[in-house]
Amino acid sequence: MQCVRDKRVVVVDDVITTGATAEACARALKRAGAKRVDVLTLARAVERRRGSSSLATS
């Protein structure tokens, strides 16, 4: 892919969970010749612990 060769690429994702998809994307872009790959994410999914409430209490 000549369009990414020696370029800086930014991947934008809405939610990241394990990061596996972002990592696979970055790896493929680097193999295609991207000089640098950054990933920007709006939110991160976290596993809620058993017994914890989603509501804040004071």
Side-chain angles (χ1 to χ4, degrees):
M1 273 175 69
Q2 292 293 339
C3 60
V4 297
R5 186 163 309 284
D6 295 325
K7 300 257 184 352
R8 181 177 177 197
V9 179
V10 178
V11 176
V12 180
D13 196 0
D14 56 350
V15 178
I16 195 166
T17 45
T18 65
T21 303
E23 185 176 340
C25 260
R27 193 176 304 120
L29 287 163
K30 291 291 281 183
R31 271 196 308 259
K35 186 174 188 175
R36 178 179 171 145
V37 178
D38 293 301
V39 178
L40 301 178
T41 306
L42 180 66
R44 179 174 175 223
V46 294
E47 183 179 337
R48 191 165 75 166
R49 284 185 257 163
R50 186 188 231 184
S52 66
S53 172
S54 60
L55 301 174
T57 58
S58 7

